[in-house]
Structures are given as C-alpha cells and as structure tokens.
C-alpha cells in the first residue's frame, strides 16, 4: 500500500492560494467529518469524495462551542437527513448551555433551547453511534456525579442515561 502525500487536503475557499485550512476540532459521523477551524469556521467534509459544505453561523461561532453531527433516517426517501447540534457552552454557574440545530435540508439554524442541569468539560468529546451523539456529562448541582448524555437527532432532544456504578473517575471520554 502506498499512501499519497496530501491525501487529506482541505483547501481554504477564502484564500486565493492553495492554503490549507487550519482544523482545530473534528467530529466523525458516518464517514463525514465536521471540522471547526482555527478562525472559528465550520465545515462538513467528505474526505473520500473531497466534497465540502461550509456552514454559516446564525450569529457567531465560539472556541468553547461543542458540535455534533448526526442524522435521522427518512423512510420515504430511504436516505439520511443530516443535522448539526451546536452547544454554546457558557462558563456560568449554574451552566447555561444554549443549543441550536442546523438542518441541511433547509440550510438554516434553529434555536432549540437552554440546558442548565448539566455541563460538558472542555476535554470531553462526543461520539456518534447510529446517528445520535453521546458524551460523558456532569450534573451541575453535583460535580461528582457523571452520567451518559445523549442527543437524539430524530426526536431533537437530550436524554440522560445512568452509568454503571461505581463509575471510575479515570474515564474522561468515550
């Protein structure tokens, strides 16, 4: 097997040169990469086909934002309908996590709500399983109580699931 140099190359569309995008965070879902950049832009990239979709913010993106890419399954068209969840993580106590959803079908952001009973530490990243996203979260009123937080992209709602007890505090990510 021979690996081609620059096989995973993402050109910056705002640059006239062949400058690469400076990617800071990546979220993987079903072969697609949701990337946030150093200059606070968001792009969904299919590294196999090279296709990109740059997502404009409703207002602005912040470095502390959490992003998740997921999908719902449309049985009529037999296709996946992709969405992005953005959690605007405030450092307030108690937490004030504002969240919104980007729908690729309409190319629009929709403010969804505020969650104040949990927070996600900056070092904890989510994972996508069958179109939904899961994190290890912490209860706002009890910083020693971690739980599994999921976001269901079909129902567009968060759910909390218990972790097996005793939960080892050494687990920082899924």
């Amino acid at each position: 097997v021979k690996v081609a140099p620059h096989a995973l190359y993402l050109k910056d569309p705002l640059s006239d040169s062949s400058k690469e995008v400076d990617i800071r965070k990546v979220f993987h879902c079903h072969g697609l990469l949701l990337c946030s950049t150093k200059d606070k832009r968001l792009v969904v990239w299919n590294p196999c086909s090279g296709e990109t979709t740059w997502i404009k913010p409703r207002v602005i993106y912040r470095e502390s934002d959490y992003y998740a890419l997921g999908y719902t399954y449309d049985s009529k068209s037999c296709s996946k309908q992709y969405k992005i969840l953005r959690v605007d993580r405030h450092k307030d106590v108690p937490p004030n996590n504002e969240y919104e959803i980007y729908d690729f079908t309409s190319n629009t952001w929709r403010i969804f709500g505020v969650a104040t009973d949990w927070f996600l530490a900056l070092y904890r990243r989510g994972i996508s399983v069958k179109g939904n996203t899961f994190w290890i979260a912490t209860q706002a009123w009890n910083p020693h109580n971690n739980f599994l937080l999921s976001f269901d992209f079909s129902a567009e709602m968060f759910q909390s699931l218990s972790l097996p007890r005793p939960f080892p505090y050494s687990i920082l990510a899924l």
Side-chain angles (χ1 to χ4, degrees):
V1 176
K2 185 176 180 182
V3 177
H6 304 292
L8 295 176
Y9 174 80
L10 184 58
K11 184 186 177 311
D12 189 341
L14 299 180
S15 172
D16 292 335
S17 68
S18 59
K19 181 181 171 189
E20 289 186 52
V21 174
D22 190 351
I23 296 172
R24 291 302 164 130
K25 297 177 187 172
V26 177
F27 186 90
H28 175 263
C29 176
H30 201 249
L32 299 176
L33 302 177
L34 174 62
C35 307
S36 57
T37 66
K38 179 182 178 183
D39 57 355
K40 299 181 185 100
R41 291 183 288 157
L42 199 61
V43 60
V44 176
W45 178 27
N46 182 335
C48 293
S49 68
E51 292 178 75
T52 58
T53 302
W54 291 86
I55 310 298
K56 293 184 180 184
R58 186 180 56 78
V59 182
I60 62 169
Y61 295 132
R62 293 182 179 85
E63 192 172 329
S64 60
D65 288 348
Y66 279 92
Y67 301 101
L69 179 63
Y71 60 85
T72 60
Y73 187 75
D74 183 5
S75 58
K76 291 180 184 177
S77 66
C78 295
S79 65
K80 293 176 177 67
Q81 305 295 320
Y82 287 92
K83 297 178 182 182
I84 296 172
L85 171 69
R86 175 182 168 262
V87 178
D88 184 359
R89 183 179 114 39
H90 295 279
K91 296 178 182 177
D92 304 335
V93 177
N96 187 25
N97 300 302
E98 297 175 3
Y99 53 100
E100 59 186 4
I101 295 175
Y102 181 84
D103 191 332
F104 282 84
T105 308
S106 62
N107 294 323
T108 57
W109 285 100
R110 185 168 28 96
I111 299 173
F112 203 78
V114 176
T116 58
D117 56 345
W118 53 264
F119 68 92
L120 299 169
L122 280 174
Y123 56 85
R124 291 187 173 156
R125 301 288 175 235
I127 62 166
S128 175
V129 179
K130 295 184 179 180
N132 294 325
T133 300
F134 297 83
W135 300 267
I136 293 177
T138 303
Q139 287 180 334
W141 62 88
N142 183 357
H144 300 292
N145 192 8
N146 294 314
F147 63 96
L148 192 60
L149 178 69
S150 71
F151 186 79
D152 181 330
F153 280 90
S154 295
E156 294 186 346
M157 62 183 270
F158 288 99
Q159 293 179 307
S160 60
L161 307 163
S162 297
L163 290 167
R165 297 284 184 219
F167 178 71
Y169 287 98
S170 60
I171 297 177
L172 300 177
L174 297 173

